[in-house]
Amino acid sequence: MTPIIGIDFDNTIVGYDELMYRIAVERGLIDGDGDRTKRAVRDRTRQLADGEIEWQKLQALVYGPLIREARLLDGADEFIRRCRDAGMAVFIVSHKTEYASCDETRTNLRTAAIEWMAAHRFFERDGLGLSRDAVFFESTRAAKIGRIKAVGCSHFIDDLEEVFLEASFPRDVQKILYAPVPPLVPASSATVVPSWRALCDVFFHKA
Ligand SMILES: [Mg+2]
């Protein structure tokens, strides 16, 4: 049976780490030194007096009005293209609300994400060749899992292990955890891949 591939969007296809770090420094939330990962930026921002609010605002900015500056994670496009070339259906299933509560610009986050995909040629025939109808945004994690079932995914790739740990996550869907910093002890039965290239090698049996 031909695999049906489902992929998460935020921090799986699109990466915000560098952007978050830069904006956090520009807004004076953190100094321009130290660890540049999203987790480090979050932890340092949260230590501020209004840290939680500032962290929410920072996320609203990078997922919304500034998303065009976020980057395509290395090899994600290549993986999707190879799946398409092999005749596999590819769906993007994202847990994403329409608006962020802390976003004063009232940017529609789903529209912003679609525009980012379009700018990276996701919907062009000679780009990644995805249909706009193959992209789903859901308002809750439960609805996201429902969608993964509804489109009949055989595999799902996500950066968030919590998704795979949900009791409602279907047992017959192969879990692939995209983890550039792999967990020391994986909490789920997911296959852990450190990069898209590694996943390509596993998936397409290339040495
Ligand atoms: Mg994610």
Side-chain angles (χ1 to χ4, degrees):
M1 219 174 72
T2 310
I4 298 175
I5 310 300
I7 313 177
D8 172 52
F9 181 64
D10 291 316
N11 303 298
T12 298
I13 290 175
V14 57
Y16 301 96
D17 285 33
E18 295 92 342
L19 177 59
M20 272 189 169
Y21 176 82
R22 181 162 62 76
I23 302 302
V25 171
E26 280 177 20
R27 288 172 72 91
L29 301 174
I30 61 172
D31 323 320
D33 56 14
D35 193 339
R36 299 186 170 216
T37 62
K38 180 185 166 192
R39 181 181 297 267
V41 172
R42 181 194 68 191
D43 292 347
R44 289 162 72 191
T45 300
R46 278 183 171 162
Q47 287 168 13
L48 302 172
D50 283 327
E52 189 54 40
I53 297 284
E54 291 297 338
W55 170 242
Q56 302 285 335
K57 284 186 185 169
L58 185 60
Q59 288 187 98
L61 280 173
V62 303
Y63 289 122
L66 299 181
I67 191 174
R68 65 178 61 85
E69 297 175 48
R71 75 181 181 92
L72 179 76
L73 289 167
D74 287 342
D77 51 347
E78 171 75 10
F79 177 80
I80 294 171
R81 194 174 296 117
R82 289 188 69 169
C83 288
R84 302 282 301 138
D85 287 349
M88 299 175 198
V90 176
F91 294 95
I92 294 173
V93 186
S94 167
H95 173 193
K96 188 184 277 298
T97 55
E98 278 199 84
Y99 296 97
S101 54
C102 288
D103 176 19
E104 286 129 5
T105 70
R106 303 303 289 156
T107 302
N108 186 310
L109 303 179
R110 296 176 178 179
T111 305
I114 288 289
E115 286 171 358
W116 183 92
M117 289 180 219
H120 288 83
R121 308 184 68 228
F122 276 46
F123 308 121
E124 289 172 37
R125 193 186 296 262
D126 60 352
L128 298 191
L130 284 188
S131 163
R132 169 65 189 82
D133 297 334
V135 180
F136 296 95
F137 297 110
E138 305 296 344
S139 299
T140 63
R141 186 182 292 166
K144 172 176 172 171
I145 291 171
R147 182 67 67 184
I148 291 167
K149 289 182 193 166
V151 299
C153 288
S154 59
H155 298 70
F156 197 77
I157 305 156
D158 205 307
D159 68 298
L160 197 63
E161 199 166 27
E162 284 88 335
V163 173
F164 298 139
L165 293 169
E166 292 285 342
S168 60
F169 194 89
R171 285 163 184 269
D172 54 348
V173 175
Q174 289 203 42
K175 313 174 191 77
I176 299 168
L177 181 68
Y178 171 80
V181 182
L184 291 176
V185 183
S188 69
S189 56
T191 300
V192 182
V193 292
S195 68
W196 281 101
R197 304 221 188 286
L199 180 58
C200 262
D201 291 348
V202 172
F203 214 77
F204 297 104
H205 307 291
K206 195 176 123 234

